[in-house]
Amino acid sequence: MAGILFFVLSAQAPLTGVAGTLPVPLGLGNAAGVPAAYLVVGATIGLFSVGFIAMSRHVTDAGAFYAYVSHGLGRPLGVGASQVAVLCYCAVQAGMYGLYGVVVEGLVQQYASIDLPWWFWALATILLVQLLGSLNIEFGAKLLAVLVVAETSLLLVFAVHELLSGGGPAGLAFRASFSPSAFLSGAPGVAVTFAIACVLGFESTAIYAREARDPARTIPRATYLSVTVISVFFAFVSWMFVSFYGPDKVQGVALDALRKGNATAVVFGAVTDTLGSWATDVMQVLLATSLLAGVLAFHNGINRYFHSLGTSGVLPRWLSRTNRQGAPYTASSVQTVVAIAMVVPFALAGADPVLTLLTWGGGVGVLALVLLYLLTSLSVIMFFRRTGLDRRRWNTLIAPLASIVLLLGAAALALENFTTLISASGTTALVLELTVVAVLAGGIVLGLLRRGGEETDPGHQLQGSDAEDARTPV
């Protein structure tokens, strides 16, 4: 279980989630109440995981939500879910490219005295990622392990030091960060949005079911533990940054950093004062490598979606072609074009990549992700109601229903505060929101038109004798 847990945690890019995105909810969201958002989201995803794990025992390719939705709600909705998943990952990746460009721009200016705009580094890295993806080259697991341990350790050293020293000017201020009033203050939807983004990827625990010695025990434990560790980690570390600056001042500090286009200064400034300038220098490099590993992981993940959908006939079959290295080069090329198309408009507009590309991409990605969670929870209920493969009411009905209620609440908060999150007009917010709906609708239509690929889709098979049992309604 420890190995599976590490793979999940290493995909979270903790330094990116803290140094790169924490200043946004601190400045634009509910300020000192941000830590509570991580715990609320952790509890919500924990409930969602109950039904998710129950279904993962009967459906292969459990990491792909579209497989779940297809079995529970039908193939057309499943294909629609696959398109929403692609939108989610592409949007989040584009936002990461925006932050990455800013980080690398600052590093190169500081250490090489080269002054090039953020979008140059973003586009250059998109091409680099395309090359690595085409050659089927990924960061080695050992290198990723070292980087993840290093960035996590630095954040924990700061947080533990702050905790033991009693906090900043207002002390630890527990109630100012974790009371219901603190959570609901300001624009809590902004904090909830970024908290959900930080848990993205926990579902990959189910992928390792076949490799585990006792998957019936190991996978549920690894899933619940990963959700708990991720949510508690971000809640604890963000609470310590709130304590460092003080609950009454942290929002002003974050807003000032965002307006100056230097969002990472919120975290780096606190770490410098606590641990010294050496820690900040190391964190700047680790943040760049963390983001690079993240966008490469998203690139490879999106490639697999395109390749799988091409193989199944849902999308054009040429997307399933591979080269001599075994890499899906056509899918990789399409994904690269999509990434460029999502970054270039912001570069041409001269927009702030953190306040626009990062927040817009993160906002759209999370709305798409919440929609996937809702569809999956509903699929769990319908699947077990139809097949009778698992009659535990808590796992197959009560917990999924509870997660649906909480996810609807999270979606309502995100939509209510969406204009604040993206720092744009209501019209722009509406267009971004409708994009998610349009992609789902387009995917449903595509699923209706591509019914012929149903029998060949490798991601939509039941395990063992369950395939026969599932044909018999309850």
Side-chain angles (χ1 to χ4, degrees), residues 240-306:
M240 290 301 101
F241 280 104
V242 170
S243 299
F244 177 86
Y245 289 106
D248 296 330
K249 297 181 179 179
V250 67
Q251 185 170 33
V253 173
L255 279 174
D256 184 60
L258 290 171
R259 288 166 182 162
K260 292 179 178 178
N262 188 21
T264 57
V266 177
V267 170
F268 290 166
V271 172
T272 298
D273 288 348
T274 303
L275 304 180
S277 60
W278 68 268
T280 298
D281 293 337
V282 171
M283 289 180 72
Q284 287 177 322
V285 175
L286 287 174
L287 179 56
T289 57
S290 175
L291 284 163
L292 178 58
V295 295
L296 182 59
F298 273 107
H299 179 85
N300 292 328
I302 297 166
N303 287 352
R304 290 185 178 93
Y305 258 99
F306 282 148

Side-chain angles (χ1 to χ4, degrees), residues 126-366:
I126 290 176
L127 297 179
L128 172 63
V129 169
Q130 162 65 18
L131 176 62
L132 295 175
S134 297
L135 296 177
N136 209 19
I137 297 174
E138 299 184 25
F139 279 111
K142 292 183 178 179
L143 175 59
L144 279 178
V146 172
L147 295 175
V148 169
V149 169
E151 60 186 85
T152 304
S153 298
L154 276 174
L155 291 171
L156 286 176
V157 168
F158 163 81
V160 172
H161 179 279
E162 191 68 17
L163 177 67
L164 296 178
S165 64
L172 295 176
F174 182 85
R175 290 180 58 84
S177 287
F178 293 103
S179 67
S181 59
F183 169 68
L184 294 173
S185 64
V190 175
V192 167
T193 297
F194 279 92
I196 292 174
C198 287
V199 189
L200 177 65
F202 81 93
E203 68 279 357
S204 61
T205 53
I207 295 175
Y208 302 100
R210 293 182 177 180
E211 302 173 30
R213 293 182 180 178
D214 186 5
R217 283 187 173 186
T218 302
I219 301 306
R221 289 179 179 178
T223 302
Y224 299 139
L225 188 57
S226 65
V227 172
T228 301
V229 170
I230 292 167
S231 57
V232 170
F233 171 82
F234 280 104
F236 173 56
V237 173
S238 61
W239 175 35
M240 290 301 101
F241 280 104
V242 170
S243 299
F244 177 86
Y245 289 106
D248 296 330
K249 297 181 179 179
V250 67
Q251 185 170 33
V253 173
L255 279 174
D256 184 60
L258 290 171
R259 288 166 182 162
K260 292 179 178 178
N262 188 21
T264 57
V266 177
V267 170
F268 290 166
V271 172
T272 298
D273 288 348
T274 303
L275 304 180
S277 60
W278 68 268
T280 298
D281 293 337
V282 171
M283 289 180 72
Q284 287 177 322
V285 175
L286 287 174
L287 179 56
T289 57
S290 175
L291 284 163
L292 178 58
V295 295
L296 182 59
F298 273 107
H299 179 85
N300 292 328
I302 297 166
N303 287 352
R304 290 185 178 93
Y305 258 99
F306 282 148
H307 180 269
S308 177
L309 293 173
T311 301
S312 68
V314 172
L315 293 180
R317 291 191 181 276
W318 52 263
L319 284 170
S320 64
R321 296 172 186 167
T322 57
N323 57 18
R324 294 180 180 179
Q325 288 75 29
Y329 71 98
T330 53
S332 177
S333 299
V334 170
Q335 204 281 307
T336 295
V337 171
V338 171
I340 292 174
M342 298 182 79
V343 170
V344 166
F346 292 88
L348 293 176
D352 184 295
V354 174
L355 290 180
T356 55
L357 185 53
L358 176 64
T359 57
W360 292 22
V364 170
V366 168

Side-chain angles (χ1 to χ4, degrees), residues 72-73 77 373-383 400-401 404:
L73 302 177
L77 258 178
Y373 287 161
L374 286 168
L375 290 174
T376 301
S377 291
L378 185 57
S379 296
V380 170
I381 296 172
M382 298 302 295
F383 175 78
L401 279 176
I404 288 174

Side-chain angles (χ1 to χ4, degrees), residues 50-59 68 71-72 376-392 395-397 400 466 472-474:
V50 175
F52 174 83
I53 289 299
M55 196 166 180
S56 72
R57 296 175 177 175
H58 306 281
V59 179
Y68 285 37
H71 283 299
T376 301
S377 291
L378 185 57
S379 296
V380 170
I381 296 172
M382 298 302 295
F383 175 78
F384 288 112
R385 175 69 183 87
R386 187 179 70 251
T387 66
L389 293 172
D390 189 333
R391 297 185 182 276
R392 296 174 297 173
N395 299 70
T396 63
L397 179 63
D466 293 343
T472 305
V474 177

